[in-house]
């Protein structure tokens, strides 16, 4: 075992795990007060579900054996028969490699929860998450990251999950939104964000966790991990500023939600490219990803008419697609010797960008079809959407019987809670001794 690499991978795994509660705060801050608990629970529950699934069959289907270059086998059920102490190429134990990959299986489905908040039944979402992991996510991991995978063999460059994570989650978000239909109160979200400080907190936690996501994908302490750290930082900073400038030019005001959204787009865009491109490359990827996502969210989304509540497709799908294709333009052997064909901007032919486009399109088509089939079949046995009454009430009360604010809402029962004087009359008795309204006509 290489102690430095193994320590780094344990830390990276913890950082990626940290992203999921960060995402819960990010999404929870963006939704209306009626759906905060439901949104945060829907994101966070994936932590437990994905851990159990990954140990049972996920690792085996992703990395053990091979069926047609598409998926592995179930021969290592519950990790049985896998030597957890055997070392990988970077001298880390297989057990730690498995834990690192498990964290990706947690965060990826949590991403598309943002598209369907406020209108999907929790039970439906839970079963969908399980089927989606088995039918879509594990095959995507095998296709792109297993040496036996078809797209791996094609030579696709996806350092930390452009296709496997972001395009996958983004397209799933789009398909789910399309099947669900628009919210009853469609259009009220921009004015009813529950908690903007949570949005900033969530975006910050995601950014911090993303270093585990991107640098950790080097699977060791090396120059590639260092490069991924630098390019991730540059792309994200560029994207953050780009979205703010676009807001200032187009709407006249910079917004906190906009800056946090731009930050996310920069992180997404650089993910497939971070271990293959220069700092200059990461600057352009961050900028172009944000341009694409900004114009999709603000102009194309309404014309398409699919109600993706928190722009899971607009951020993860669009920026992921741009980043995946841009990798074919900016990848260079000078950064990473594993790059067989330099990107088009680095003296290479159009070979790599062609491969990137094929892999990107293959991901979009496979995920769209498979997600549609899962939704159609699942809809036959259980309802997908809550009824109008529950949607207006809010899923916090309707699905969970909980409220995000635990303080007493005075407005619900004005007679009982006319004022603090009624509530805390004993405490006020001393100060108000001479102010008895029955004795002083001026106080009536």
């Amino acid at each position: 075992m290489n102690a430095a690499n193994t320590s780094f991978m344990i830390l990276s795994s913890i950082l990626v795990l940290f992203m999921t509660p960060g995402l819960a705060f990010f999404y929870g801050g963006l939704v209306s007060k009626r759906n905060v608990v439901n949104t945060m629970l829907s994101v966070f529950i994936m932590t437990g579900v994905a851990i159990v699934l990954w140990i049972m069959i996920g690792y085996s289907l992703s990395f053990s054996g091979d069926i047609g270059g598409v998926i592995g086998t179930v021969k290592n059920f519950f990790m049985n028969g896998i030597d957890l102490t055997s070392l990988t190429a970077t001298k880390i134990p297989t057990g730690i490699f498995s834990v690192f990959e498990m964290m990706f299986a947690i965060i990826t489905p949590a991403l598309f929860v943002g598209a369907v908040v406020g209108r999907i039944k929790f039970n439906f979402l839970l079963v969908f998450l399980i089927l989606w992991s088995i039918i879509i996510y594990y095959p995507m991991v095998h296709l792109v990251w297993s040496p036996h995978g078809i797209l791996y063999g094609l030579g696709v460059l996806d350092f930390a999950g452009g296709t496997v994570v972001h395009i996958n989650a983004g397209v799933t978000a789009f398909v789910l939104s399309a099947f669900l239909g628009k919210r009853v109160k469609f259009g009220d979200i921009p004015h009813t964000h529950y908690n903007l400080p949570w949005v900033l907190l969530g975006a910050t936690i995601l950014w911090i966790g993303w270093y585990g996501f991107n640098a950790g994908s080097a699977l060791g302490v090396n120059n590639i991990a260092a490069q991924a750290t630098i390019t991730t930082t540059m792309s994200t900073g560029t994207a953050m500023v780009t979205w703010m400038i676009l807001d200032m030019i187009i709407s006249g005001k910079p917004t906190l939600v906009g800056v946090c959204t731009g930050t996310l787009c920069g992180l997404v865009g650089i993910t497939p490219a971070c271990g293959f491109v220069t700092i200059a490359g990461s600057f352009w990827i961050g900028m172009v990803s944000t341009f694409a996502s900004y114009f999709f969210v603000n102009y194309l989304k309404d014309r398409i008419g699919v109600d993706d509540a928190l722009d899971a497709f607009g951020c993860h799908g669009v920026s992921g697609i741009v980043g995946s294709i841009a990798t074919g333009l900016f990848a260079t052997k000078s950064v990473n010797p594993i790059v067989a064909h330099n990107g088009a901007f680095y003296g290479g032919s159009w070979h790599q960008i062609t491969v990137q486009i094929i892999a990107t399109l293959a991901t979009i088509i496979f995920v769209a079809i498979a997600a549609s089939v899962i939704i159609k079949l699942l809809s036959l046995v259980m309802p997908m959407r809550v009824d109008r009454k529950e949607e207006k009430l809010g899923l916090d009360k309707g699905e969970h019987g909980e409220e995000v604010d635990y303080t007493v809402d005075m407005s619900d029962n004005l007679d009982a809670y006319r004022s603090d004087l009624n509530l805390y009359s004993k405490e006020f008795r001393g100060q108000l001794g001479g102010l008895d309204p029955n004795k002083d006509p001026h106080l009536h």
Side-chain angles (χ1 to χ4, degrees):
M1 179 197 299
N2 181 308
N5 286 355
T6 305
S7 303
F8 175 66
M9 292 313 297
I10 292 171
L11 175 62
S12 294
S13 301
I14 293 167
L15 284 170
V16 180
L17 176 62
F18 191 38
M19 292 170 75
T20 302
L23 187 71
F25 273 100
F26 183 77
Y27 282 168
L30 284 171
V31 297
S32 63
K33 184 180 176 181
R34 307 185 310 273
N35 296 310
V36 178
V37 173
N38 174 260
T39 301
M40 297 184 85
L41 175 58
S42 298
V43 170
F44 191 55
I45 192 60
M46 201 56 222
T47 315
V49 174
I51 288 170
V52 176
L53 266 180
W54 182 259
I55 296 296
M56 284 173 68
I57 54 172
Y59 179 82
S60 191
L61 286 174
S62 300
F63 294 107
S64 289
D66 174 58
I67 301 172
V70 176
I71 196 164
T73 62
V74 196
K75 66 179 181 181
N76 298 117
F77 185 68
F78 255 100
M79 308 278 291
N80 185 39
I82 292 173
D83 181 0
L84 299 178
T85 60
S86 64
L87 299 178
T88 65
T90 52
K91 298 286 189 289
I92 63 168
T94 299
I96 295 302
F97 171 74
S98 175
V99 168
F100 180 66
E101 291 295 337
M102 175 202 289
M103 300 310 172
F104 283 69
I106 295 170
I107 185 72
T108 308
L111 296 172
F112 62 68
V113 168
V116 296
V117 294
R119 59 201 199 277
I120 195 167
K121 276 195 168 290
F122 185 78
N123 292 353
F124 184 96
L125 181 62
L126 203 58
V127 179
F128 179 82
L129 288 169
I130 294 167
L131 295 174
W132 178 90
S133 296
I134 297 166
I135 296 167
I136 297 178
Y137 184 73
Y138 304 148
M140 279 303 308
V141 174
H142 190 82
L143 282 162
V144 176
W145 288 336
S146 165
H148 306 293
I150 294 171
L151 295 177
Y152 182 97
L154 198 64
V156 65
L157 295 177
D158 186 355
F159 193 78
T163 52
V164 179
V165 177
H166 297 294
I167 299 175
N168 185 356
V171 172
T172 304
F174 188 87
V175 173
L176 275 170
S177 304
F179 273 96
L180 264 177
K182 291 184 178 178
R183 284 162 287 170
V184 170
K185 293 194 172 186
F186 176 60
D188 72 344
I189 284 289
H191 310 291
T192 56
H193 298 309
Y194 170 67
N195 192 321
L196 292 185
W198 279 15
V199 177
L200 175 58
L201 173 69
T204 306
I205 292 172
L206 283 166
W207 191 344
I208 292 168
W210 224 287
Y211 289 107
F213 202 87
N214 282 4
S217 292
L219 301 176
V221 181
N222 52 40
N223 286 330
I224 310 302
Q227 186 71 11
T229 303
I230 298 166
T231 54
T232 299
T233 309
M234 184 61 190
S235 171
T236 310
T238 304
M240 182 190 227
V241 174
T242 301
W243 193 292
M244 185 189 73
I245 292 171
L246 286 170
D247 259 352
M248 291 168 80
I249 293 170
I250 294 166
S251 67
K253 290 180 179 177
T255 64
L256 180 61
V257 170
V259 164
C260 291
T261 307
T263 301
L264 210 60
C265 292
L267 289 162
V268 171
I270 198 61
T271 293
C274 60
F276 303 123
V277 301
T278 62
I279 298 179
S282 70
F283 168 81
W284 292 109
I285 289 172
M287 183 184 288
V288 176
S289 298
T290 308
F291 262 97
S293 283
Y294 186 93
F295 285 102
F296 179 87
V297 168
N298 289 289
Y299 297 101
L300 275 180
K301 181 180 152 182
D302 283 347
R303 292 181 183 179
I304 294 169
V306 171
D307 182 12
D308 175 354
L310 304 183
D311 296 311
F313 178 76
C315 290
H316 297 278
V318 174
S319 284
I321 289 165
V322 170
S324 183
I325 293 170
T327 306
L329 296 172
F330 292 101
T332 166
K333 293 175 189 176
S334 65
V335 167
N336 193 332
I338 204 172
V339 175
H341 304 273
N342 268 354
F345 290 168
Y346 284 82
S349 64
W350 290 94
H351 175 87
Q352 193 59 50
I353 193 166
T354 305
V355 170
Q356 296 301 116
I357 290 170
I358 290 169
T360 302
L361 288 174
T363 303
I364 294 168
I365 293 165
F366 166 62
V367 174
I369 293 171
S372 300
V373 171
I374 296 170
I375 294 165
K376 287 295 279 185
L377 293 177
L378 200 51
S379 299
L380 298 175
V381 294
M382 61 196 305
M384 182 179 189
R385 186 164 176 158
V386 300
D387 58 43
R388 285 180 72 90
K389 184 181 174 187
E390 186 178 331
E391 191 171 333
K392 286 182 176 177
L393 173 71
L395 271 59
D396 289 5
K397 284 184 180 176
E399 294 279 290
H400 313 289
E402 292 180 310
E403 289 182 79
V404 65
D405 284 334
Y406 49 82
T407 51
V408 176
D409 192 344
M410 298 293 183
S411 62
D412 279 357
N413 195 344
L414 284 176
D415 292 332
Y417 303 121
R418 180 67 63 184
S419 70
D420 281 357
L421 292 184
N422 287 19
L423 273 174
Y424 306 109
S425 55
K426 288 182 181 177
E427 285 85 338
F428 286 118
R429 192 171 292 158
Q431 297 96 306
L432 301 179
L435 298 177
D436 187 340
N438 296 319
K439 295 178 181 176
D440 190 340
H442 299 295
L443 289 173
H444 278 293

